[in-house]
Amino acid sequence: MKTTLKFIPLNHWILIIVNGKDSKKFLQHQLTINIDNLTDQKNFLYACHCNSKGRLLTNMKIFKYKHNCYGYIIRKNIAQIYLNSIKKYMFLYDVHILCSTKSLVGIYADNNTTQNFLLHVFQNSNYLMHKHSLLIDKDNILLKIRTMSRNKYLTIIIVNNIHNIISYIRYHKIAFSYNYDIKLFCQIGYPIIDKNNFTKFIPQEINMYKFHAIDLHKGCYIGQEIINKIYMANNHYNNNKLFSIKIKITNIIPRISDRLIITSQHTLTNKHYIINGYILTIYYFTNNQYCLMQIMSKIAITYNINIKILREHKSYSLYIQK
């Protein structure tokens, strides 16, 4: 097999299972999408789960797993605080929510390479995903995610036992690409919601509308009033946006906890605008010379924008790369 395949450990993600006869009704009253659109087991959808103030508990990739059973993928480090936050909504429903013990791994490659890998590992020619984004075969689940590359995909594989996969990877001497999923998600603009930014943002701020994760025409759900209010106000209620930029690491290594000072100059008036920014997540390239960051900002991040990190009463300039 060609070495163009990247094997990505996904230990920092977890599968949440929602089952019970009221599972669909519960999710319909909680999430920002219309659960009626999950009618089959051939595609997954992006969605958000918010609190009553419209703040994001988590975003997710959700799919119909079985009859009266749904699954969705979130960050592992928020799983417990997330489940504790939604317990109060479960009492009126016949529903059970738990963290699955299944393992998650990722494959990044073109269609042919991915299918060749799946055929050898699972010994099943049915593991072909040309038209659909979801495949469920007994206890195995595969999600196919589009990336910035036209002919390459991130395939998330969810299994009970990854022994066969690991054995195959080691036999073919394929290196582990740790955190490479973060790079891919940064590139497509998919926000990473973990413990550092739990309940800090509304869905519109982090571009979840670009993933069709907000249905403005469905019935009531938690946080709907705030989310619709912002939409009706043409986003002037809060105009933070999410940007992905590549930074050259020079005299400081950026951290998620860092405070950003962003300075912009108006092209007509020459006035300078200074605002605070927020780092959502960071991917460090293997050579440690560059990093890819998701930044929250109220002004568009372009190459002529001046960005500084403020740390311990000192400021450090960041250099945006094309």
Side-chain angles (χ1 to χ4, degrees), residues 83-197:
L83 293 179
N84 291 337
S85 298
I86 64 174
K87 277 183 179 179
K88 56 188 175 183
Y89 301 119
M90 297 171 53
F91 295 111
L92 298 177
Y93 302 91
D94 183 359
V95 64
H96 304 280
I97 305 178
L98 53 91
C99 295
S100 172
T101 57
K102 289 179 177 290
S103 299
L104 283 74
V105 296
I107 297 295
Y108 178 62
D110 59 72
N111 257 332
N112 292 335
T113 304
T114 300
Q115 290 168 8
N116 184 41
F117 170 84
L118 296 174
L119 180 62
H120 282 82
V121 170
F122 294 102
Q123 302 294 316
N124 191 332
S125 60
N126 292 328
Y127 280 40
L128 305 178
M129 304 172 66
H130 287 290
K131 298 180 180 179
H132 305 296
S133 62
L134 175 69
L135 187 149
I136 299 177
D137 177 46
K138 298 180 181 178
D139 291 327
N140 299 328
I141 306 167
L142 281 73
L143 282 74
K144 181 179 177 182
I145 299 175
R146 293 183 179 273
T147 66
M148 292 297 290
S149 175
R150 287 186 177 182
N151 58 355
K152 288 187 177 182
Y153 299 86
L154 169 63
T155 302
I156 297 178
I157 304 172
I158 307 173
V159 293
N160 286 332
N161 192 325
I162 62 171
H163 176 74
N164 290 341
I165 297 176
I166 297 299
S167 297
Y168 187 81
I169 291 296
R170 288 175 175 168
Y171 178 80
H172 288 274
K173 298 181 179 179
I174 300 174
F176 286 25
S177 299
Y178 292 101
N179 294 320
Y180 200 82
D181 54 306
I182 304 299
K183 177 184 178 181
L184 297 176
F185 288 139
C186 283
Q187 289 175 339
I188 65 174
Y190 182 76
I192 307 297
I193 301 299
D194 57 21
K195 64 181 181 180
N196 297 299
N197 39 62

Side-chain angles (χ1 to χ4, degrees), residues 296-309:
M296 300 291 303
S297 171
K298 290 187 177 183
I299 58 177
I301 303 297
T302 58
Y303 298 115
N304 60 343
I305 295 291
N306 181 275
I307 303 178
K308 293 183 178 181
I309 288 178

Side-chain angles (χ1 to χ4, degrees), residues 10 20 40 86 211 224:
L10 299 178
D40 55 33
I86 64 174
F211 295 88
Q224 181 192 36

